[in-house]
Amino acid sequence: MKDILEGFALVAQFDVLLAILASAVYGLVVGSLPGLSATMATALLVPVTFYLSPIAAVATIITASAMAIFSGDIPGCLLRIPGTPASAAYTDEAYAMTRKGQAELALGTGLWFSALGGIAGTLSLVVMAPLLAELALNFSSFEYFWLAALGLMCATLVARSSPVKAIASMLGGLLVSCVGMENPAGAPRFVFGITDLLGGIEPLPALVGVFAVSEVMRAMAAAEPPPLPRRRFGPIMAGQWELTKRYQKPMWRGNVVGIIIGVLPGAGADMAAWVSYAMSKRFSKEPEKFGTGHPEGLVEAGASNNASLASGWVPSLLFGVPGDTITAIAIGVLYMKGLNPGPTLFTERASSMYALYIIFALANIIMIPLGIVMIRLAAGVLRAPRAAVMPVVLLLCAIGSYATGNNLFSVLLVAGFGVLGYGMERCGYPVAALVLGIVMGSMFEQTFVTSLIKSDGSILPFFERPVSAVLAAITLGALLWPLGVWAWRRFARSSGSRKARQLVG
Amino acid sequence: MLLSDRVTGVGVATLGAFAVYGGLQQPGVPGQDVGPSVFPTVIGLGLLLCGALVALGVGRGFEAPAEAAGAEGPNTVHPSPPRFGELRALLPPVLLVFYVLAVDRLGFLLTAGLIALALSLALGARPRLALPIAVLAPPFIHIVFNGLLRVPLPEGLLAAPW
């Protein structure tokens, strides 16, 4: 109880509340701009967190990411351009509702069920994390190795691209993390005589380059999106209560699926939205209405992506294994602020943990009033021409990466990673897998080499402990999954053509 | 698609070969089998395999079609992308390199103003929009980062008046 009160006291400070409010507005605006994703919003925020108190720093990340995931729905609904990848799953549905004249209902649904999903995810974090912390106290380097491997494999499954290319991206990220002196022998590795590389490549310049600079590059190469027609909105929350009562089951299913996907290391809000939308259609009583402007899928997927956001913090806080790209950034901030992830966080810094839960709840509650204001202002924000937004983003990329170490070399790294990210995306290599490889590389190598030293170079002990055997099985399953899908498709196609031939015969 | 799978696959495999070579060059740790060479070598072998598979076209069936036909709404006119798109895309990183080279001499305000102006004009803004952006954005960023967050930004030729 004392810890809970201390948690409240930590949040109730002026700088923390101000940070929550400011990052909420920032997240809403950036998330709503097409092309500027929630991950990018969070990455550009990191340099600012350097200068905040630990709780305020974590609060900005939590609030900005939650707001950005919701407000990504706004341009999806009004312009048919998803503001964040997590909204892409149901953009067509939301836009179809707008064309039917139900823009208010679609946006309100996004807002209301995002907030409900976020709160459900927060509850799951509160309940699950301490239970898993007990379990995690017994983990050895073998379990951590498999957790990291599972996170990396999941990241390649989420990508919706060729699994081979996704794995290549992920390995590329791991290779980047090899650069520098932080390795088992402390030897300078892959530094090519450049002093600035001795300290290794920080994840932040890579993130900013891959997510932000490459977006500016894409804007240069693509035509300006169509301007938003002016419109006045009616009441936004009208009818949400009826929807909640009517679609109770899809809502809960969305929450639960989102929570489960969030907890899986490596899989985040994007995947939660896609899976939930597909499930909603599969289990709906009226699947024929999907795609024509039917709110059911919106309810389920909108709840799901926000629920996954909170539960994505479970593996991050407990094991230091990010649940998605946003928590990958958050882990860096946690380390920087002395809140090192791990099970002891829950025993020794309990009040900080309660503060974190309170911030999650608070962010999802203020999302509703701020979201309504944002929807009303959206017409203005979305009319901001690219030529005004992109220069500011590019300047923030330069200054943000410079601020992390007062080192101009990181600006060059940002430029390099921008080119790399742009090129990779154009050739069909998913960049999220690259980023997770970079973020998790040093942990992965450390647990891998420690385990190998313990086992005297033998592979068998990797599978001997019960938890590590289960994690290993899931990881290998994720590796073989695409093969199974391919075989199934082959089988279905050949049996289908045989049937067709029989019919003709 | 910018480059064919065959080209990128060979590229990935070459990267893998370099990683294996570089990994094997690493010094060992005395009295121990496992050292800094294991991890890059394993990754390099993985990259070699992936590169070969990509070049052979394995896994292409999983790629989502770039833009499914009919995905655009009936009312949206599809504007053609600007000419020299791929080359124009290189402008932002070039501007970042310019920032690194110029900021110590010109100072933050001037360099940032030039970058904003160049990018804004390249994105098709009229001077009526580009000039205010170039004049207003750098001081704003300067106030936030130098004033509030205490990031030391070089003054160069034009020192901020605050």
Side-chain angles (χ1 to χ4, degrees):
Chain A
M1 193 63 212
K2 187 170 143 273
D3 288 330
I4 301 179
L5 285 179
E6 267 177 35
F8 269 106
L10 281 171
V11 178
Q13 276 158 19
F14 178 70
D15 65 328
V16 176
L17 294 177
L18 188 70
I20 291 178
L21 195 65
S23 55
V25 174
Y26 166 83
L28 282 171
V29 172
V30 176
S32 75
L33 292 170
L36 307 190
S37 65
T39 309
M40 195 191 115
T42 326
L44 286 179
L45 207 56
V46 173
V48 179
T49 63
F50 274 39
Y51 304 91
L52 300 176
S53 70
I55 297 296
V58 178
T60 54
I61 302 275
I62 292 173
T63 318
S65 58
M67 298 293 167
I69 292 279
F70 152 67
S71 80
D73 296 356
I74 299 175
C77 180
L78 298 178
L79 287 174
R80 202 161 180 271
I81 306 167
T84 65
S87 310
Y90 47 85
T91 292
D92 282 340
E93 192 81 62
Y95 186 68
M97 286 179 75
T98 303
R99 291 193 31 210
K100 273 166 55 178
Q102 298 175 334
E104 292 87 356
L105 189 66
L107 286 167
T109 306
L111 179 60
W112 175 241
F113 291 96
S114 285
L116 288 186
I119 289 169
T122 310
L123 288 179
S124 80
L125 175 68
V126 175
V127 174
M128 241 188 299
L131 293 178
L132 282 170
E134 302 257 319
L135 188 70
L137 278 172
N138 299 320
F139 276 18
S140 69
S141 64
F142 295 109
E143 279 86 7
Y144 277 105
F145 166 78
W146 283 115
L147 266 177
L150 178 62
L152 290 168
M153 277 322 298
C154 285
T156 65
L157 278 187
V158 187
R160 286 170 31 87
S161 81
S162 147
V164 183
K165 285 184 173 178
I167 293 175
S169 299
M170 183 264 281
L171 291 172
L174 291 178
L175 191 61
V176 170
S177 78
C178 287
V179 174
M181 290 185 35
E182 263 185 53
N183 55 56
R189 207 165 49 177
F190 301 124
V191 294
F192 310 107
I194 302 170
T195 331
D196 287 307
L197 282 179
L198 279 178
I201 292 177
E202 292 287 321
L204 187 75
L207 275 164
V208 172
V210 161
F211 287 115
V213 175
S214 71
E215 197 53 55
V216 181
M217 293 174 70
R218 240 189 311 278
M220 291 295 300
E224 175 112 28
L228 182 73
R230 263 192 199 286
R231 65 157 77 231
R232 285 198 65 80
F233 289 114
I236 287 168
M237 298 311 283
Q240 292 312 323
W241 188 239
E242 280 94 272
L243 278 184
T244 318
K245 276 191 289 190
R246 189 148 145 227
Y247 295 120
Q248 239 183 47
K249 231 164 111 190
M251 180 190 85
W252 283 111
R253 205 165 47 215
N255 285 338
V256 171
V257 167
I259 288 167
I260 293 172
I261 290 178
V263 169
L264 276 180
D270 317 6
M271 190 189 188
W274 283 105
V275 170
S276 279
Y277 185 75
M279 271 182 85
S280 176
K281 191 171 174 181
R282 176 77 187 70
F283 289 111
S284 170
K285 285 188 197 116
E286 338 164 84
E288 71 282 354
K289 284 193 183 165
F290 275 69
T292 61
H294 185 55
E296 190 174 347
L298 238 62
V299 169
E300 189 158 343
S304 175
N305 61 10
N306 274 70
S308 76
L309 208 59
S311 66
W313 282 70
V314 173
S316 325
L317 289 170
L318 279 175
F319 315 119
V321 175
D324 53 17
T325 43
I326 291 172
T327 41
I329 303 169
I331 287 179
V333 174
L334 287 172
Y335 271 114
M336 209 164 56
K337 292 295 174 192
L339 293 167
N340 290 12
T344 48
L345 200 57
F346 293 85
T347 49
E348 283 164 21
R349 305 287 297 264
S351 55
S352 299
M353 282 304 103
Y354 283 113
L356 213 134
Y357 302 151
I358 295 164
I359 292 165
F360 259 114
L362 200 61
N364 282 298
I365 291 168
I366 61 171
M367 179 190 278
I368 293 177
L370 288 178
I372 292 175
V373 174
M374 181 65 208
I375 291 171
R376 301 228 175 263
L377 295 177
V381 171
L382 284 176
R383 290 174 81 88
R386 265 185 342 177
V389 175
M390 290 301 169
V392 178
V393 170
L394 189 69
L395 288 179
L396 285 177
C397 293
I399 201 78
S401 54
Y402 173 75
T404 55
N406 291 351
N407 183 356
L408 279 174
F409 182 73
S410 46
V411 183
L412 287 182
L413 277 182
V414 166
F417 274 104
V419 176
L420 182 70
Y422 178 75
M424 279 174 62
E425 196 121 307
R426 293 296 308 272
C427 296
Y429 290 81
V431 290
L434 173 92
V435 167
L436 279 177
I438 298 175
V439 171
M440 293 172 63
S442 51
M443 173 196 178
F444 192 51
E445 171 168 21
Q446 204 190 347
T447 55
F448 178 57
V449 171
T450 315
S451 306
L452 266 184
I453 292 173
K454 272 196 225 164
S455 71
D456 244 348
S458 156
I459 297 292
L460 268 183
F462 279 80
F463 302 93
E464 272 171 359
R465 296 166 58 99
V467 176
S468 66
V470 171
L471 290 171
I474 304 176
T475 311
L476 296 178
L479 182 65
L480 296 177
W481 175 259
L483 211 66
V485 172
W486 175 79
W488 170 250
R489 276 192 203 163
R490 274 299 281 265
F491 172 75
R493 205 177 306 152
S494 69
S495 68
S497 59
R498 205 175 310 136
K499 253 183 217 154
R501 239 174 289 143
Q502 277 169 356
L503 278 177
V504 172
Chain B
M1 201 123 333
L2 197 60
L3 297 166
S4 74
D5 279 357
R6 201 150 294 174
V7 177
T8 60
V10 170
V12 168
T14 319
L15 185 69
F18 271 115
V20 172
Y21 174 76
L24 293 178
Q25 300 295 98
Q26 290 297 315
V29 181
Q32 205 173 278
D33 304 335
V34 188
S37 64
V38 179
F39 195 59
T41 313
V42 172
I43 294 172
L45 291 176
L47 280 172
L48 265 174
L49 180 69
C50 286
L53 289 177
V54 169
L56 294 173
V58 175
R60 205 177 289 165
F62 285 86
E63 287 186 44
E67 274 298 314
E72 298 292 319
N75 300 333
T76 49
V77 194
H78 203 65
S80 60
R83 277 194 301 166
F84 310 116
E86 303 300 345
L87 276 182
R88 284 163 44 96
L90 285 176
L91 183 68
V94 169
L95 287 175
L96 286 177
V97 175
F98 169 74
Y99 178 86
V100 173
L101 295 176
V103 74
D104 277 330
R105 206 161 304 155
L106 295 181
F108 173 76
L109 288 179
L110 275 183
T111 320
L114 286 175
I115 289 175
L117 185 68
L119 193 62
S120 184
L121 287 176
L123 279 166
R126 297 208 194 96
R128 216 180 52 187
L129 174 67
L131 279 175
I133 295 274
V135 173
L136 295 179
F140 174 72
I141 292 173
H142 193 277
I143 289 174
V144 172
F145 277 86
N146 196 317
L148 296 178
L149 301 176
R150 306 270 170 226
V151 178
L153 296 172
E155 290 189 346
L157 298 180
L158 183 66
W162 48 87

